[in-house]
Amino acid sequence: MDHPGIPEPALRRRLAAALGTAAPVCALLLALLAALAVTDPGFYEPDRLLAFVRRAAPLVILAAGQYLVIVSGEFDLSVGAVVTVGVVTAAELYQEFPGAHWTVVCAVLLLAGAAVGLVNGLVTTLLAVPSFITTLGTTLVLQGGVFSWTGGSPQGYLPDDFRAMGRDDLFGWLPWGVLVCLAAGAAVVVLMRCRFGRTLLATGDNERAAALAGVRVGRARTVAFVLSGMAAALAAVLVAGFSGVSAQAGSGMEFEAITAVVLGGVVLGGGRGSVAGAMAGAFCLVALFTLLNLRGVSGALEPTVQGVIVIAAVALGAADLSRRRRSPSTGGQSS
């Protein structure tokens, strides 16, 4: 059922525009995969290709969660810290409760991620603290808490059944991480096609108009933060699977997720973009770093590459938005 006050034609135009923004990043992804095939002829062997997807899966999941927040007009800089906390917490839990079932530990991590997202959402919407500041503060709190808890050196271990999701295969060839990535992506795609997705797009496009149309803006954004926190916790399970215990497990992943989202054509400020584009942006980022590594480019340049991508993508998005506003045929932004 459509949300009252939001015209159906306008919603269809928004959704069509969002899907259209994924085309350029998909073309870029194909070009990068072709370059990888030329650089490394064995890249398209099934096991190598699936290993690439498994390696990209945590970032793809983070990008899907970050998309929900950004398309609503906010930011979530805490997801990298949530990944770190998730890995460290799992190890500490297994140290205290060696016989804990992996499903219980995963459930605890998802609840913890949701709790962090809830705090972010409530502080942002009820206290009117800019999300950039809110989630930056949350990051510092979580990083300080991890250091205080572990002394900079996490204890405990991660048993094989918990790490299986991140490093093992189903049927001996299909990585569990690929299945988790597909399931998470499909869930967000379905969510964006439902009423809640339309309210997020409307909120990010024009907060005041959405509120006047009856959208509970604060609740929609809070739910987006909760889902982003849960996505980060799920990514932590995959990261723990193939990386093990580390106090730096999620370091920098928040910026990688934002880079992937803007590379996927999602407009910072909200209202435009597709989750398919955001996820394709994550694959592009991993493919680009893989290609640079194969070409012998130092990994130290990765932050530089991310910075250039963010600036270029935001500049192009701003130019496109300005052109739309000036165009008499579009009549400005979609209402």
Side-chain angles (χ1 to χ4, degrees):
M1 184 175 67
D2 299 322
H3 201 286
I6 304 179
E8 173 67 18
L11 287 172
R12 287 179 178 175
R13 285 197 300 272
R14 284 199 195 107
L15 290 173
L19 292 173
T21 59
V25 72
C26 289
L28 176 61
L29 178 58
L30 290 176
L32 287 170
L33 292 177
L36 281 170
V38 171
T39 305
D40 180 10
F43 177 77
Y44 279 116
E45 294 179 4
D47 57 337
R48 298 276 300 279
L49 187 59
L50 288 173
F52 166 79
V53 178
R54 172 164 49 195
R55 189 166 64 254
L59 181 58
V60 174
I61 293 172
L62 279 181
Q66 187 74 243
Y67 164 81
L68 295 173
V69 176
I70 289 180
V71 83
S72 73
E74 304 293 349
F75 286 93
D76 189 354
L77 297 179
S78 66
V79 293
V82 172
V83 171
T84 299
V85 170
V87 173
V88 171
T89 298
E92 295 287 346
L93 284 174
Y94 276 114
Q95 184 178 29
E96 295 294 327
F97 307 99
H101 197 275
W102 68 271
T103 55
V104 175
V105 176
C106 288
V108 170
L109 297 186
L110 290 174
L111 289 174
V116 173
L118 180 61
V119 171
N120 286 336
L122 293 178
V123 172
T124 298
T125 58
L126 295 183
L127 301 183
V129 178
S131 58
F132 185 90
I133 301 299
T134 298
T135 56
L136 179 60
T138 301
T139 297
L140 296 175
V141 169
L142 293 176
Q143 289 176 344
V146 167
F147 185 83
S148 176
W149 188 14
T150 65
S153 179
Q155 304 298 315
Y157 73 104
L158 297 172
D160 291 340
D161 59 350
F162 178 81
R163 299 188 67 180
M165 191 178 296
R167 67 178 184 179
D168 287 355
D169 302 328
L170 180 65
F171 307 127
W173 62 272
L174 181 60
W176 281 104
V178 174
L179 294 176
V180 174
C181 177
L182 291 174
V188 178
V189 169
V190 171
L191 188 65
M192 290 305 298
R193 292 179 178 272
C194 297
R195 180 175 176 176
F196 174 71
R198 296 196 292 269
T199 62
L200 278 187
L201 286 170
T203 297
D205 189 37
N206 191 321
E207 177 182 346
R208 187 168 182 272
L212 291 174
V215 174
R216 295 184 179 181
V217 171
R219 185 173 70 174
R221 284 177 168 164
T222 299
V223 173
F225 276 110
V226 170
L227 293 174
S228 178
M230 294 180 70
L234 182 58
V237 175
L238 299 183
V239 170
F242 59 74
S243 296
V245 184
S246 170
Q248 303 294 324
S251 178
M253 293 191 76
E254 63 276 12
F255 298 113
E256 292 180 3
I258 292 174
T259 303
V261 171
V262 298
L263 181 60
V266 181
V267 176
L268 295 181
R272 298 180 187 278
S274 70
V275 64
M279 296 172 69
F283 278 116
C284 278
L285 204 59
V286 176
L288 177 59
F289 292 156
T290 302
L291 180 62
L292 292 176
N293 182 60
L294 290 174
R295 292 289 186 180
V297 178
S298 172
L301 289 177
E302 289 185 6
T304 303
V305 174
Q306 291 182 51
V308 171
I309 290 173
V310 169
I311 293 172
V314 172
L316 290 173
D320 179 66
L321 181 58
S322 177
R323 184 170 60 253
R324 288 173 181 270
R325 286 174 171 172
R326 291 196 305 267
S327 174
S329 61
T330 60
Q333 287 182 324
S334 300
S335 59

